[in-house]
Amino acid sequence: MTRPPTAAQRRVIDAADPVSGRLRGTEAQLAALVKRGLAFRHPRPPHDHFLTPAGHRIRESEPEVAEPAAAAEVTATSNSTSTSGVFAARIGGEEETGVGPAARTREVHSAWQGLLELRRMTNVDGSVERPCGWERTHLVQAAALALEAAGHRPATGQDAEGYRVRATPQPEAVAVREPDGEALRACAGTLERAGWQVSEHKEPRTEASYLLASPRRT
């Protein structure tokens, strides 16, 4: 059985950029994570370190032993983060959060820039114009991040206005609903510019329009 990371290593892993997995730590800490296969050193300058898929799995898992000091830091959660403190895009339908608009804008901008960097690193040709593997395994979050980063308004609670991104039975496809037709078309344009293939459909019973969006492969 693989030995779990030390408490210090876990803190470095948990502090990684939520999308790109970029790490910050001492050279010794980063080298230790590389040795264990939890991180890699990027071959191009500035030679930053990033989580490997194994490192991402560690970060997304619950720690085997919760440190009292770390547990004390998390006294409440908001819809801008998951229960593990990792950034989460607004998919629509969440309640209002206590995060101010300016702070939220900075969080979203940072996450979007991190995603573009992840595309550059992981797409074979280094393209940032189309989605990467992470987005294909996190479809709802990826589409919601593209929308929120472009300034679209997510629905709040039971509010009918605003976008809602939801999973569908179709492979690699999400549904985007927005009651305002003009806003829905604007969402379609944003997703297309972000590298998604988008088509508009109507609900069989209500005739309400919605989008089906899938990440482009080429």
Side-chain angles (χ1 to χ4, degrees):
M1 181 175 180
T2 304
R3 179 169 53 87
T6 65
Q9 290 172 341
R10 179 70 195 227
R11 284 194 291 272
V12 173
I13 291 171
D14 288 343
D17 183 276
V19 176
S20 71
R22 187 194 302 266
L23 292 162
R24 291 288 182 268
T26 67
E27 287 192 16
Q29 288 173 326
L30 298 174
L33 291 175
V34 170
K35 186 176 181 179
R36 299 189 58 177
L38 301 177
F40 70 93
R41 184 174 182 267
H42 200 280
R44 291 197 291 269
H47 302 298
D48 285 331
H49 287 73
F50 297 85
L51 290 175
T52 62
H56 278 288
R57 287 194 295 272
I58 289 288
R59 187 182 60 176
E60 292 168 2
S61 69
E62 291 295 331
E64 293 189 8
V65 179
E67 295 182 79
E73 293 176 1
V74 185
T75 57
T77 59
S78 71
N79 288 316
S80 65
T81 58
S82 72
T83 55
S84 62
V86 177
F87 171 87
R90 298 284 301 277
I91 67 172
E94 304 94 336
E95 296 299 329
E96 288 286 359
T97 74
V99 179
R104 180 61 184 175
T105 297
R106 288 193 296 271
E107 288 181 353
V108 173
H109 176 75
S110 177
W112 178 248
Q113 292 304 310
L115 181 57
L116 293 180
E117 176 66 8
L118 189 61
R119 288 182 177 186
R120 185 184 71 81
M121 290 191 311
T122 59
N123 282 335
V124 175
D125 58 357
S127 172
V128 298
E129 303 299 323
R130 69 177 186 280
C132 61
W134 182 89
E135 291 168 273
R136 297 180 192 284
T137 58
H138 299 76
L139 292 170
V140 173
Q141 279 290 318
L145 177 55
L147 293 174
E148 192 176 2
H152 295 278
R153 176 177 176 266
T156 302
Q158 300 301 314
D159 188 359
E161 298 182 0
Y163 71 76
R164 296 172 188 264
V165 184
R166 297 294 185 267
T168 72
Q170 298 187 37
E172 288 203 354
V174 296
V176 180
R177 293 176 173 81
E178 160 63 78
D180 182 273
E182 185 174 346
L184 182 68
R185 288 188 289 275
C187 287
T190 290
L191 289 171
E192 287 172 348
R193 289 189 294 275
W196 293 67
Q197 184 174 335
V198 183
S199 57
E200 186 171 331
H201 304 266
K202 288 187 179 294
E203 299 282 3
R205 294 182 180 179
T206 64
E207 292 294 307
S209 294
Y210 70 96
L211 305 176
L212 276 181
S214 302
R216 281 198 346 253
R217 290 191 176 275
T218 58

mmCIF file of all heavy atoms in Angstrom, residues 171-205:
data_model
loop_
_atom_site.group_PDB
_atom_site.id
_atom_site.type_symbol
_atom_site.label_atom_id
_atom_site.label_comp_id
_atom_site.label_asym_id
_atom_site.label_seq_id
_atom_site.Cartn_x
_atom_site.Cartn_y
_atom_site.Cartn_z
ATOM 1 N N PRO A 171 -22.769 11.316 -23.357
ATOM 2 C CA PRO A 171 -21.347 11.402 -23.012
ATOM 3 C C PRO A 171 -20.750 12.724 -23.469
ATOM 4 O O PRO A 171 -21.031 13.201 -24.566
ATOM 5 C CB PRO A 171 -20.730 10.211 -23.767
ATOM 6 C CG PRO A 171 -21.675 9.933 -24.881
ATOM 7 C CD PRO A 171 -23.043 10.275 -24.358
ATOM 8 N N GLU A 172 -19.944 13.319 -22.608
ATOM 9 C CA GLU A 172 -19.239 14.564 -22.907
ATOM 10 C C GLU A 172 -20.190 15.677 -23.345
ATOM 11 O O GLU A 172 -19.884 16.433 -24.282
ATOM 12 C CB GLU A 172 -18.152 14.350 -23.960
ATOM 13 C CG GLU A 172 -16.959 13.572 -23.434
ATOM 14 C CD GLU A 172 -15.680 13.816 -24.233
ATOM 15 O OE1 GLU A 172 -15.741 14.498 -25.267
ATOM 16 O OE2 GLU A 172 -14.636 13.316 -23.810
ATOM 17 N N ALA A 173 -21.325 15.818 -22.677
ATOM 18 C CA ALA A 173 -22.242 16.903 -23.001
ATOM 19 C C ALA A 173 -22.901 17.430 -21.731
ATOM 20 O O ALA A 173 -23.266 16.651 -20.842
ATOM 21 C CB ALA A 173 -23.316 16.439 -23.987
ATOM 22 N N VAL A 174 -23.038 18.732 -21.650
ATOM 23 C CA VAL A 174 -23.760 19.357 -20.546
ATOM 24 C C VAL A 174 -24.921 20.157 -21.132
ATOM 25 O O VAL A 174 -24.902 20.544 -22.301
ATOM 26 C CB VAL A 174 -22.858 20.290 -19.720
ATOM 27 C CG1 VAL A 174 -21.746 19.512 -19.027
ATOM 28 C CG2 VAL A 174 -22.274 21.413 -20.585
ATOM 29 N N ALA A 175 -25.917 20.395 -20.306
ATOM 30 C CA ALA A 175 -27.050 21.231 -20.701
ATOM 31 C C ALA A 175 -26.910 22.578 -20.005
ATOM 32 O O ALA A 175 -26.580 22.644 -18.821
ATOM 33 C CB ALA A 175 -28.365 20.572 -20.312
ATOM 34 N N VAL A 176 -27.140 23.639 -20.757
ATOM 35 C CA VAL A 176 -27.110 24.992 -20.211
ATOM 36 C C VAL A 176 -28.484 25.599 -20.420
ATOM 37 O O VAL A 176 -28.972 25.695 -21.554
ATOM 38 C CB VAL A 176 -26.043 25.864 -20.901
ATOM 39 C CG1 VAL A 176 -26.052 27.273 -20.309
ATOM 40 C CG2 VAL A 176 -24.665 25.228 -20.759
ATOM 41 N N ARG A 177 -29.095 26.005 -19.319
ATOM 42 C CA ARG A 177 -30.424 26.617 -19.387
ATOM 43 C C ARG A 177 -30.343 28.048 -18.895
ATOM 44 O O ARG A 177 -29.662 28.354 -17.925
ATOM 45 C CB ARG A 177 -31.432 25.802 -18.564
ATOM 46 C CG ARG A 177 -31.701 24.427 -19.168
ATOM 47 C CD ARG A 177 -32.629 23.580 -18.305
ATOM 48 N NE ARG A 177 -33.002 22.340 -18.980
ATOM 49 C CZ ARG A 177 -32.240 21.243 -19.026
ATOM 50 N NH1 ARG A 177 -31.044 21.255 -18.426
ATOM 51 N NH2 ARG A 177 -32.636 20.170 -19.666
ATOM 52 N N GLU A 178 -31.079 28.907 -19.571
ATOM 53 C CA GLU A 178 -31.139 30.332 -19.242
ATOM 54 C C GLU A 178 -32.453 30.832 -19.825
ATOM 55 O O GLU A 178 -32.659 30.768 -21.043
ATOM 56 C CB GLU A 178 -29.927 31.051 -19.837
ATOM 57 C CG GLU A 178 -30.059 32.544 -20.013
ATOM 58 C CD GLU A 178 -30.231 33.297 -18.707
ATOM 59 O OE1 GLU A 178 -29.242 33.495 -17.992
ATOM 60 O OE2 GLU A 178 -31.387 33.673 -18.423
ATOM 61 N N PRO A 179 -33.405 31.264 -18.964
ATOM 62 C CA PRO A 179 -34.740 31.608 -19.469
ATOM 63 C C PRO A 179 -34.765 32.772 -20.453
ATOM 64 O O PRO A 179 -35.665 32.848 -21.285
ATOM 65 C CB PRO A 179 -35.525 31.943 -18.186
ATOM 66 C CG PRO A 179 -34.486 32.252 -17.162
ATOM 67 C CD PRO A 179 -33.299 31.405 -17.508
ATOM 68 N N ASP A 180 -33.800 33.653 -20.360
ATOM 69 C CA ASP A 180 -33.755 34.786 -21.281
ATOM 70 C C ASP A 180 -33.085 34.342 -22.580
ATOM 71 O O ASP A 180 -31.921 33.920 -22.584
ATOM 72 C CB ASP A 180 -32.974 35.941 -20.643
ATOM 73 C CG ASP A 180 -32.941 37.164 -21.549
ATOM 74 O OD1 ASP A 180 -32.033 37.237 -22.402
ATOM 75 O OD2 ASP A 180 -33.822 38.030 -21.415
ATOM 76 N N GLY A 181 -33.815 34.437 -23.681
ATOM 77 C CA GLY A 181 -33.302 33.946 -24.956
ATOM 78 C C GLY A 181 -32.021 34.620 -25.398
ATOM 79 O O GLY A 181 -31.092 33.965 -25.894
ATOM 80 N N GLU A 182 -31.938 35.933 -25.228
ATOM 81 C CA GLU A 182 -30.741 36.658 -25.634
ATOM 82 C C GLU A 182 -29.546 36.237 -24.778
ATOM 83 O O GLU A 182 -28.439 36.042 -25.290
ATOM 84 C CB GLU A 182 -30.976 38.166 -25.501
ATOM 85 C CG GLU A 182 -29.819 38.997 -26.015
ATOM 86 C CD GLU A 182 -30.130 40.485 -25.998
ATOM 87 O OE1 GLU A 182 -31.312 40.845 -25.846
ATOM 88 O OE2 GLU A 182 -29.181 41.285 -26.122
ATOM 89 N N ALA A 183 -29.779 36.080 -23.482
ATOM 90 C CA ALA A 183 -28.702 35.647 -22.590
ATOM 91 C C ALA A 183 -28.260 34.228 -22.922
ATOM 92 O O ALA A 183 -27.071 33.897 -22.835
ATOM 93 C CB ALA A 183 -29.157 35.737 -21.138
ATOM 94 N N LEU A 184 -29.208 33.372 -23.318
ATOM 95 C CA LEU A 184 -28.870 31.996 -23.697
ATOM 96 C C LEU A 184 -27.971 31.990 -24.925
ATOM 97 O O LEU A 184 -26.977 31.253 -24.985
ATOM 98 C CB LEU A 184 -30.141 31.187 -23.958
ATOM 99 C CG LEU A 184 -29.927 29.714 -24.305
ATOM 100 C CD1 LEU A 184 -29.379 28.955 -23.098
ATOM 101 C CD2 LEU A 184 -31.235 29.075 -24.788
ATOM 102 N N ARG A 185 -28.305 32.820 -25.901
ATOM 103 C CA ARG A 185 -27.478 32.892 -27.109
ATOM 104 C C ARG A 185 -26.089 33.449 -26.788
ATOM 105 O O ARG A 185 -25.082 33.044 -27.391
ATOM 106 C CB ARG A 185 -28.178 33.738 -28.173
ATOM 107 C CG ARG A 185 -29.389 33.037 -28.793
ATOM 108 C CD ARG A 185 -29.949 33.818 -29.966
ATOM 109 N NE ARG A 185 -30.610 35.043 -29.519
ATOM 110 C CZ ARG A 185 -31.878 35.102 -29.111
ATOM 111 N NH1 ARG A 185 -32.607 34.003 -29.080
ATOM 112 N NH2 ARG A 185 -32.404 36.247 -28.744
ATOM 113 N N ALA A 186 -26.034 34.380 -25.834
ATOM 114 C CA ALA A 186 -24.730 34.914 -25.412
ATOM 115 C C ALA A 186 -23.899 33.816 -24.750
ATOM 116 O O ALA A 186 -22.678 33.737 -24.942
ATOM 117 C CB ALA A 186 -24.928 36.090 -24.460
ATOM 118 N N CYS A 187 -24.552 32.951 -23.960
ATOM 119 C CA CYS A 187 -23.849 31.813 -23.355
ATOM 120 C C CYS A 187 -23.283 30.897 -24.435
ATOM 121 O O CYS A 187 -22.152 30.400 -24.317
ATOM 122 C CB CYS A 187 -24.799 31.017 -22.450
ATOM 123 S SG CYS A 187 -25.225 31.821 -20.885
ATOM 124 N N ALA A 188 -24.072 30.689 -25.489
ATOM 125 C CA ALA A 188 -23.615 29.836 -26.584
ATOM 126 C C ALA A 188 -22.359 30.416 -27.230
ATOM 127 O O ALA A 188 -21.389 29.699 -27.496
ATOM 128 C CB ALA A 188 -24.728 29.677 -27.627
ATOM 129 N N GLY A 189 -22.363 31.733 -27.461
ATOM 130 C CA GLY A 189 -21.197 32.372 -28.052
ATOM 131 C C GLY A 189 -19.965 32.248 -27.178
ATOM 132 O O GLY A 189 -18.866 31.996 -27.666
ATOM 133 N N THR A 190 -20.151 32.413 -25.870
ATOM 134 C CA THR A 190 -19.026 32.297 -24.937
ATOM 135 C C THR A 190 -18.439 30.898 -24.970
ATOM 136 O O THR A 190 -17.213 30.711 -25.028
ATOM 137 C CB THR A 190 -19.478 32.646 -23.509
ATOM 138 O OG1 THR A 190 -19.755 34.049 -23.439
ATOM 139 C CG2 THR A 190 -18.412 32.286 -22.483
ATOM 140 N N LEU A 191 -19.284 29.883 -24.917
ATOM 141 C CA LEU A 191 -18.800 28.508 -24.916
ATOM 142 C C LEU A 191 -18.100 28.161 -26.228
ATOM 143 O O LEU A 191 -17.081 27.460 -26.233
ATOM 144 C CB LEU A 191 -19.957 27.544 -24.647
ATOM 145 C CG LEU A 191 -20.506 27.577 -23.211
ATOM 146 C CD1 LEU A 191 -21.785 26.754 -23.118
ATOM 147 C CD2 LEU A 191 -19.465 27.071 -22.223
ATOM 148 N N GLU A 192 -18.633 28.644 -27.344
ATOM 149 C CA GLU A 192 -17.987 28.383 -28.630
ATOM 150 C C GLU A 192 -16.594 29.004 -28.666
ATOM 151 O O GLU A 192 -15.635 28.384 -29.132
ATOM 152 C CB GLU A 192 -18.856 28.927 -29.772
ATOM 153 C CG GLU A 192 -20.109 28.087 -30.006
ATOM 154 C CD GLU A 192 -21.069 28.737 -30.992
ATOM 155 O OE1 GLU A 192 -20.863 29.939 -31.323
ATOM 156 O OE2 GLU A 192 -22.016 28.059 -31.430
ATOM 157 N N ARG A 193 -16.466 30.229 -28.156
ATOM 158 C CA ARG A 193 -15.153 30.881 -28.131
ATOM 159 C C ARG A 193 -14.196 30.164 -27.175
ATOM 160 O O ARG A 193 -12.969 30.223 -27.352
ATOM 161 C CB ARG A 193 -15.302 32.355 -27.733
ATOM 162 C CG ARG A 193 -15.943 33.227 -28.811
ATOM 163 C CD ARG A 193 -15.866 34.692 -28.461
ATOM 164 N NE ARG A 193 -16.664 35.029 -27.288
ATOM 165 C CZ ARG A 193 -17.962 35.308 -27.316
ATOM 166 N NH1 ARG A 193 -18.617 35.277 -28.470
ATOM 167 N NH2 ARG A 193 -18.602 35.617 -26.214
ATOM 168 N N ALA A 194 -14.764 29.485 -26.167
ATOM 169 C CA ALA A 194 -13.935 28.754 -25.199
ATOM 170 C C ALA A 194 -13.587 27.351 -25.688
ATOM 171 O O ALA A 194 -12.952 26.592 -24.957
ATOM 172 C CB ALA A 194 -14.669 28.670 -23.855
ATOM 173 N N GLY A 195 -14.005 27.006 -26.917
ATOM 174 C CA GLY A 195 -13.618 25.718 -27.483
ATOM 175 C C GLY A 195 -14.664 24.623 -27.354
ATOM 176 O O GLY A 195 -14.337 23.444 -27.479
ATOM 177 N N TRP A 196 -15.910 25.005 -27.127
ATOM 178 C CA TRP A 196 -16.980 24.016 -27.003
ATOM 179 C C TRP A 196 -17.841 24.011 -28.262
ATOM 180 O O TRP A 196 -18.008 25.041 -28.919
ATOM 181 C CB TRP A 196 -17.864 24.338 -25.797
ATOM 182 C CG TRP A 196 -17.163 24.171 -24.481
ATOM 183 C CD1 TRP A 196 -16.126 24.914 -24.003
ATOM 184 C CD2 TRP A 196 -17.452 23.208 -23.470
ATOM 185 N NE1 TRP A 196 -15.753 24.473 -22.760
ATOM 186 C CE2 TRP A 196 -16.545 23.424 -22.412
ATOM 187 C CE3 TRP A 196 -18.394 22.184 -23.363
ATOM 188 C CZ2 TRP A 196 -16.553 22.654 -21.247
ATOM 189 C CZ3 TRP A 196 -18.416 21.411 -22.213
ATOM 190 C CH2 TRP A 196 -17.497 21.640 -21.164
ATOM 191 N N GLN A 197 -18.371 22.850 -28.580
ATOM 192 C CA GLN A 197 -19.332 22.713 -29.680
ATOM 193 C C GLN A 197 -20.720 22.826 -29.084
ATOM 194 O O GLN A 197 -21.064 22.089 -28.159
ATOM 195 C CB GLN A 197 -19.146 21.363 -30.366
ATOM 196 C CG GLN A 197 -20.030 21.161 -31.581
ATOM 197 C CD GLN A 197 -19.695 19.872 -32.314
ATOM 198 O OE1 GLN A 197 -18.572 19.372 -32.225
ATOM 199 N NE2 GLN A 197 -20.664 19.330 -33.022
ATOM 200 N N VAL A 198 -21.519 23.737 -29.608
ATOM 201 C CA VAL A 198 -22.799 24.072 -28.983
ATOM 202 C C VAL A 198 -23.940 23.945 -29.986
ATOM 203 O O VAL A 198 -23.814 24.338 -31.147
ATOM 204 C CB VAL A 198 -22.771 25.517 -28.426
ATOM 205 C CG1 VAL A 198 -24.075 25.836 -27.699
ATOM 206 C CG2 VAL A 198 -21.579 25.708 -27.484
ATOM 207 N N SER A 199 -25.050 23.388 -29.531
ATOM 208 C CA SER A 199 -26.269 23.331 -30.345
ATOM 209 C C SER A 199 -27.463 23.692 -29.465
ATOM 210 O O SER A 199 -27.452 23.440 -28.256
ATOM 211 C CB SER A 199 -26.461 21.938 -30.951
ATOM 212 O OG SER A 199 -26.497 20.944 -29.941
ATOM 213 N N GLU A 200 -28.461 24.298 -30.067
ATOM 214 C CA GLU A 200 -29.651 24.725 -29.321
ATOM 215 C C GLU A 200 -30.791 23.734 -29.546
ATOM 216 O O GLU A 200 -31.000 23.248 -30.654
ATOM 217 C CB GLU A 200 -30.077 26.124 -29.752
ATOM 218 C CG GLU A 200 -31.231 26.691 -28.921
ATOM 219 C CD GLU A 200 -31.516 28.156 -29.211
ATOM 220 O OE1 GLU A 200 -30.554 28.885 -29.584
ATOM 221 O OE2 GLU A 200 -32.683 28.569 -29.078
ATOM 222 N N HIS A 201 -31.527 23.446 -28.484
ATOM 223 C CA HIS A 201 -32.624 22.486 -28.543
ATOM 224 C C HIS A 201 -33.816 23.041 -27.766
ATOM 225 O O HIS A 201 -33.707 24.065 -27.093
ATOM 226 C CB HIS A 201 -32.191 21.146 -27.944
ATOM 227 C CG HIS A 201 -30.978 20.567 -28.597
ATOM 228 N ND1 HIS A 201 -31.029 19.659 -29.629
ATOM 229 C CD2 HIS A 201 -29.647 20.789 -28.363
ATOM 230 C CE1 HIS A 201 -29.813 19.339 -30.008
ATOM 231 N NE2 HIS A 201 -28.950 20.005 -29.261
ATOM 232 N N LYS A 202 -34.948 22.338 -27.871
ATOM 233 C CA LYS A 202 -36.144 22.736 -27.132
ATOM 234 C C LYS A 202 -36.633 21.589 -26.268
ATOM 235 O O LYS A 202 -36.589 20.424 -26.686
ATOM 236 C CB LYS A 202 -37.261 23.177 -28.086
ATOM 237 C CG LYS A 202 -37.001 24.526 -28.751
ATOM 238 C CD LYS A 202 -38.200 24.973 -29.546
ATOM 239 C CE LYS A 202 -37.958 26.341 -30.186
ATOM 240 N NZ LYS A 202 -37.826 27.392 -29.162
ATOM 241 N N GLU A 203 -37.078 21.928 -25.061
ATOM 242 C CA GLU A 203 -37.660 20.928 -24.174
ATOM 243 C C GLU A 203 -38.940 20.394 -24.813
ATOM 244 O O GLU A 203 -39.756 21.176 -25.327
ATOM 245 C CB GLU A 203 -37.992 21.544 -22.812
ATOM 246 C CG GLU A 203 -36.792 22.104 -22.064
ATOM 247 C CD GLU A 203 -35.971 21.015 -21.408
ATOM 248 O OE1 GLU A 203 -36.308 19.814 -21.592
ATOM 249 O OE2 GLU A 203 -34.990 21.351 -20.728
ATOM 250 N N PRO A 204 -39.160 19.060 -24.827
ATOM 251 C CA PRO A 204 -40.339 18.497 -25.494
ATOM 252 C C PRO A 204 -41.665 19.036 -24.946
ATOM 253 O O PRO A 204 -42.595 19.280 -25.717
ATOM 254 C CB PRO A 204 -40.211 16.993 -25.226
ATOM 255 C CG PRO A 204 -38.755 16.778 -24.961
ATOM 256 C CD PRO A 204 -38.279 18.027 -24.278
ATOM 257 N N ARG A 205 -41.755 19.212 -23.643
ATOM 258 C CA ARG A 205 -43.033 19.602 -23.055
ATOM 259 C C ARG A 205 -43.237 21.110 -23.020
ATOM 260 O O ARG A 205 -44.298 21.615 -23.347
ATOM 261 C CB ARG A 205 -43.157 19.043 -21.642
ATOM 262 C CG ARG A 205 -43.243 17.510 -21.594
ATOM 263 C CD ARG A 205 -43.403 17.023 -20.177
ATOM 264 N NE ARG A 205 -43.492 15.563 -20.103
ATOM 265 C CZ ARG A 205 -43.624 14.883 -18.976
ATOM 266 N NH1 ARG A 205 -43.686 15.532 -17.813
ATOM 267 N NH2 ARG A 205 -43.696 13.558 -18.999
#
